[in-house]
Amino acid sequence: MDRETCRRMDAADPLRRFRDAFRLPEGVIYLDGNSLGPLMPAVERRLGQVIAGEWGRGLIRSWNDAGWIGLPARAAARIARLIGAAPDEVAVADSTSINLFKLLAGALALRPARRIILSERGNFPTDLYVAEGLAGLLGRGHELRLAEAGALMAALDEDVAVLLLTEVDFRTGRRHDMRALTRAAHDRGALVLWDLAHSAGALPVDLAAADADMAVGCGYKYLNGGPGAPAFLYVRRDLQEQMATPLAGWMGHAAPFDFVPGYRPARGIQRFLCGTPPILSLVALDAALEIWDEVDLAALRAKSLSLCELFIALVEARCGGHGLHLVSPREPERRGSQVSFAHAEGFAIVQALIARGAIGDFRSPDIMRFGFAPLYLRHEDVYDAVEMLAEVLNGREYEDPRHRVRGSVT
Ligand SMILES: *Cc1c(COP(=O)(O)O)cnc(C)c1O
């Protein structure tokens, strides 16, 4: 595979026009959209207008006049299409961690005789911490049971109240079989809560087809909503009226502007809101989501697989003999939209790559992660990034002491 072939693939790419919707700095190949999506000029424009006009001049009138109060629901409807949900099954609010807390608490109350939250040992730590913290807070003997991915089915017994899993593993990119695991959990009477942080905007998700009960996900990764963007949550329609949020706040009240002393939950998904929505962050997320209305998710997946396959093939062909090994599944259908390689010098290699302009990231202890966001990455970029990686390895650039300094965020 040479550079010219990559360019021809890009010329035939049905998604190529979307790249112009992103502001990518000159000289940067961005392989970290799985951690923080890049800025879109449309987001910058919208934010500028909202700050000057709606906030600056409209002031409090903008809650009604500019439709701020309906903004969470509008953003939610855009996300619904990406995850196989109906608009009234998704809410945009809070962070992924907080949404997880709300839904997990609501779910445990639906299975009062059961005490186990089952998750995977390698799950994203915040998911595990939230579960542990909630179990402690409830003080009724709930326990977080952790199993290796391959042992989840065996660990699913009649004590499990909720199966809490992330569809795409943040370290390796391995993708769970959402349908099979959901069915197995339902067969044993458990509810399932899926974390879609590395799925939404990375690949088509079909919560309805999987018969998923609940889900949460992230606004600042593949959805490009900006650092700390609001997150989303999903509750299947027939569960909504049975479920309560532990964070009963006025925005989830049936009549927030009646200012009555007693809490009465709103009907439907609205009840999972808590406090006032962060309008500036929501504006950024909503503006970033607009592009997705035009994206064919099957084409997105096809391009994602093509970029990932190319990356694996090129790394193995050009960087062999340096001790890299693939930790992502080799079968494309078992991967999300990222590829990870392990190497003892992984941290310094990633730093040396970043110094050359190819931005990936590192996850302890030895994993180099490369995310492939199909809306703005080209096959040509993949080719160039692998050339840089080969140069970093051949020239032992990672031995440079300046590539060994760790910041507080990795
Ligand atoms: C990124 C990520 C989160 C982030 O949670 P925040 O509350 O936004 O910090 C949660 N879960 C998974 C699986 C993630 O990858």
Side-chain angles (χ1 to χ4, degrees):
M1 181 71 69
D2 58 17
R3 197 159 192 282
E4 211 28 62
T5 312
C6 291
R7 292 179 64 111
R8 273 201 299 278
M9 291 167 89
D10 292 326
D13 168 16
L15 304 179
R16 74 181 177 283
R17 71 190 169 93
F18 294 116
R19 180 177 168 87
D20 291 339
F22 294 86
R23 175 158 316 137
L24 299 161
E26 196 59 42
V28 164
I29 298 175
Y30 197 56
L31 306 178
D32 218 354
N34 51 320
S35 219
L36 174 66
L39 175 65
M40 303 172 74
V43 169
E44 205 174 8
R45 262 194 318 275
R46 264 278 288 291
L47 269 177
Q49 289 160 357
V50 168
I51 289 171
E54 296 180 10
W55 180 17
R57 286 187 291 280
L59 295 166
I60 200 161
R61 295 169 289 193
S62 290
W63 282 105
N64 290 314
D65 297 352
W68 286 353
I69 199 68
L71 194 52
R74 290 199 295 281
R78 290 201 153 112
I79 292 173
R81 193 183 84 83
L82 305 180
I83 58 173
D88 65 356
E89 293 176 314
V90 180
V92 169
D94 303 319
S95 63
T96 306
S97 304
I98 291 174
N99 287 336
L100 203 68
F101 179 86
K102 294 187 292 191
L103 297 192
L104 191 54
L108 290 177
L110 294 182
R111 294 290 181 276
R114 298 180 177 214
R115 289 288 176 273
I116 301 294
I117 302 162
L118 174 61
S119 192
E120 188 184 344
R121 195 172 305 280
N123 199 352
F124 194 85
T126 203
D127 298 39
L128 304 181
Y129 304 158
V130 165
E132 229 180 79
L134 176 62
L137 177 69
L138 292 174
R140 290 195 284 116
H142 285 94
E143 264 177 56
L144 178 60
R145 176 187 292 168
L146 298 179
E148 301 303 329
L152 283 166
M153 292 285 193
L156 256 176
D157 58 28
E158 312 276 320
D159 297 327
V160 176
V162 181
L163 174 62
L164 167 64
L165 290 176
T166 299
E167 186 191 15
V168 176
D169 184 82
F170 78 106
R171 288 191 186 87
T172 64
R174 184 231 54 229
R175 181 189 194 187
H176 275 307
D177 184 337
M178 189 185 273
R179 273 190 208 217
L181 282 158
T182 302
R183 193 180 316 119
H186 286 171
D187 284 349
R188 289 158 186 83
L191 293 161
V192 187
L193 203 176
W194 286 101
D195 187 330
L196 303 177
H198 295 276
S199 308
L203 43 93
V205 177
D206 198 338
L207 290 172
D211 196 26
D213 302 300
M214 292 154 290
V216 294
C218 189
Y220 53 80
K221 291 172 178 161
Y222 292 94
L223 300 182
N224 312 305
F232 64 88
L233 62 86
Y234 160 89
V235 179
R236 206 181 56 228
R237 192 180 292 115
D238 62 288
L239 283 176
Q240 292 172 8
E241 300 298 315
Q242 308 167 37
M243 263 176 78
T245 172
L247 300 179
W250 71 314
M251 286 295 147
H253 193 278
F257 292 93
D258 284 358
F259 296 102
V260 293
Y263 178 74
R264 205 157 39 83
R267 292 193 66 81
I269 199 74
Q270 187 91 7
R271 68 179 52 192
F272 297 99
L273 303 182
C274 181
T276 305
I279 294 302
L280 297 181
S281 303
L282 265 167
V283 161
L285 175 63
D286 187 55
L289 287 171
E290 208 165 302
I291 195 174
W292 290 98
D293 298 350
E294 297 164 46
V295 176
D296 170 359
L297 294 178
L300 183 88
R301 179 66 173 159
K303 183 174 175 191
S304 157
L305 294 181
S306 174
L307 294 169
C308 291
E309 290 289 283
L310 175 67
F311 184 73
I312 294 171
L314 286 173
V315 169
E316 291 186 338
R318 308 196 59 91
C319 307
H322 286 287
L324 291 177
H325 83 100
L326 181 68
V327 291
S328 301
R330 205 167 274 281
E331 309 89 305
E333 64 281 4
R334 293 195 51 230
R335 273 198 313 265
S337 200
Q338 79 176 61
V339 174
S340 303
F341 281 94
H343 191 285
E345 292 286 359
F347 178 81
I349 293 171
V350 167
Q351 292 305 309
L353 259 181
I354 293 173
R356 282 179 165 271
I359 302 182
D361 66 20
F362 172 79
R363 286 295 173 260
S364 201
D366 60 357
I367 292 183
M368 302 187 288
R369 288 197 313 180
F370 303 95
F372 296 89
L375 293 191
Y376 50 84
L377 279 174
R378 302 168 299 196
H379 294 84
E380 181 185 343
D381 299 321
V382 173
Y383 186 90
D384 291 343
V386 176
E387 284 302 286
M388 289 183 205
L389 178 60
E391 285 163 16
V392 163
L393 292 167
N394 291 330
R396 304 182 77 87
E397 291 173 19
Y398 52 86
E399 290 179 348
D400 187 329
R402 84 196 150 97
H403 297 321
R404 293 170 181 277
V405 183
R406 301 206 179 201
S408 52
V409 176
T410 59

